Amino acid sequence: MKRLALLLIVAVTCSNFASAANAATKTSISFAVASTPNAGESLVTFYGQVKPAAKGSVTISSFDGVAWKVTPLKTTSTSSGSWKITTVANAVKAEGQYKATVTIGKKKTLSKPVNFKVDISKTFSDSNSYLLPAGPGGRIHGSDVSRWQHPNDQPIDFKTKFDAGMRFVMIKGSDAQEASDILAMRWLVEDRNAAQAAGLYTGMYHYAYLPNSTDEDYVIRDAKAQAQKVIWRLASLGGYNERDLPLALDLENSCVKKSKSGVCIKNMQRSLVTTWAETWLKTVEEKTGRKPILYSYPNFLESSMTRSETLRQYPLWLAQYGINPADPIAQPGQKTSGCYVHSWSTANCSSQWQIWQYSSCGIGKKYGVPSARLDLNVFRGTPESFLSLILGKWQPEVADLMPVNEATKINLISVAATDTNVPVEVNVEVFRSIGTPVVTGTVVFRPIDPEVKIKKQTAVRSASGRWELTIEGLPAGITAGTLNYVDVSKTHADNEIPLAITLMQGPELPKPTPTPKPTKTKAPVDSCAKQIKN
């Protein structure tokens, strides 16, 4: 599971052009039809996305050879623009031509027509045969995907994934860092729709970053803010449906502060990491009615968290490579010598895991994935226990949907400015109108004088709604400007406060003469050398 550093310049550039782009973009509706594998009757799924994202009435029309006729099939697109209609295929060898129409206000937009033929081979006698464990060790097989499985913006062929024996996929749906979150949202809607239409069960995971704080109340506040982002994201999809697995928390990093070279110089203490995780999981469970899943790896659970009976109540998605799940006695959670001791450890040195990510070296092409590599997972248990994960259905109310241009307030914490040789450091936090931290957006300093050019500025998230802004290249003297909060997603309203930065002229620094170093050719490292390559 990859991460990206937050690059302020990307967010700022996007914000400058987002409004103009949206104004110029015409409404469009994508449309696809699939024979959806099912236990029992044959199903047909119509699905797509309205762009720009909007709620609208979607209807399906069919062509009878002479004219297009509106069918009774209709739905409403979600706030993310996603829509899906599943119906029973009454004929087993029929084919037809269909198109979708979305109505927003009084404006109708039509999709391109699509030809479709029912595939009766996608029908199974019962749930056991449908979820036939086809993975290694006779387990239910799955994968997890993110934007890294879409090189050059290529789509995933989920039908190939299903035909290769997979039955579930966990999709990255959100990230605590703004730039990575935007990239996750880019593929979430499309992948979820296409995967479910192909017969796969889907889950959504959130990649967490912990706050740089030792204050327990502050840590709890941050966990609730990140949970709110995930709840809003699920609400934008229309809530849980009949093929959704519970939300998952990806918690694998306790670093809260890095040096300029990117080396971690501060980790959160174990008890606070545990408090943060408990808070996130409880908040999501209370809102959605399903127990979310925790993803991590054994060493992190042991060394970065304390043992907790509260955590033990949540399903564990455990990552451990180099162990073959086809081995009858192999399992994750064990050391070469001794046991990993954490909240899910058992007396016999194993772990109470529900999903096991056993490799990051799956063969992408085999599963319809454009990337060379793919994370592979197996589910622990029977088809009945797998289906028990989807019990409970949460449908969002209007209040659960992500707000639009919600009022914000900026609080300037500190400014450290000395001379032109030292970067200016600004600490700032931004709050929602209800007093909790904003969950999206970033900050930027903008000089009033257009002639003043900034060499570089970077905003590093230190907690939800809180940033450390570093500014380089300002001239000596007083630079008047504004400290701006910018939210590309328009969840929270942009805001600004005046900020004047005073710098002394620093002494001229000698230019360092680089010392040539002998180059050594290193043999490439094969990170998959000791992994399972299914």
Side-chain angles (χ1 to χ4, degrees), residues 10 13 81 88 120 158 223 238 294 296 302 321 333-334 337 343 384 415 428 522 532:
V10 174
T13 301
V88 174
I120 59 173
F158 288 99
L294 179 82
S296 198
E302 179 184 66
Y321 308 148
Q334 296 179 331
S337 176
S343 298
E384 289 77 16
V415 179
V428 60
K522 293 184 179 180
I532 309 301

Side-chain angles (χ1 to χ4, degrees), residues 401-456:
L401 297 175
M402 186 174 285
V404 178
N405 279 334
E406 179 186 53
T408 57
K409 178 183 178 182
I410 301 176
N411 177 33
L412 180 62
I413 301 172
S414 65
V415 179
T418 54
D419 63 47
T420 54
N421 293 334
V422 181
V424 177
E425 294 184 355
V426 181
N427 281 276
V428 60
E429 55 188 353
V430 185
F431 296 98
R432 301 173 57 195
S433 58
I434 60 175
T436 60
V438 294
V439 299
T440 52
T442 187
V443 292
V444 59
F445 176 70
R446 292 173 176 164
I448 293 175
D449 185 351
E451 298 299 318
V452 175
K453 304 300 180 183
I454 297 175
K455 180 181 177 182
K456 180 183 178 182

Side-chain angles (χ1 to χ4, degrees), residues 2 144-150 156 172 187 191 205:
K2 309 291 185 182
D144 53 273
V145 300
S146 67
R147 70 108 171 173
W148 296 104
Q149 276 63 58
H150 293 279
I156 294 173
K172 183 173 183 179
W187 287 105
D191 283 351
Y205 71 87

Side-chain angles (χ1 to χ4, degrees), residues 460-475:
V460 176
R461 174 194 175 280
S462 57
S464 293
R466 186 168 182 170
W467 293 268
E468 296 174 359
L469 177 63
T470 303
I471 309 168
E472 299 179 46
L474 286 178

Side-chain angles (χ1 to χ4, degrees), residues 225-241:
Q226 289 196 47
Q228 180 64 73
K229 170 181 275 192
V230 178
I231 292 166
W232 278 343
R233 187 62 45 85
L234 180 61
S236 75
L237 301 174
Y240 282 130
N241 63 32

Side-chain angles (χ1 to χ4, degrees), residues 39-61:
E41 297 178 293
S42 296
L43 296 181
V44 178
T45 300
F46 302 87
Y47 64 97
Q49 186 176 8
V50 178
K51 294 184 179 180
K55 281 193 168 187
S57 175
V58 179
T59 56
I60 305 298
S61 299

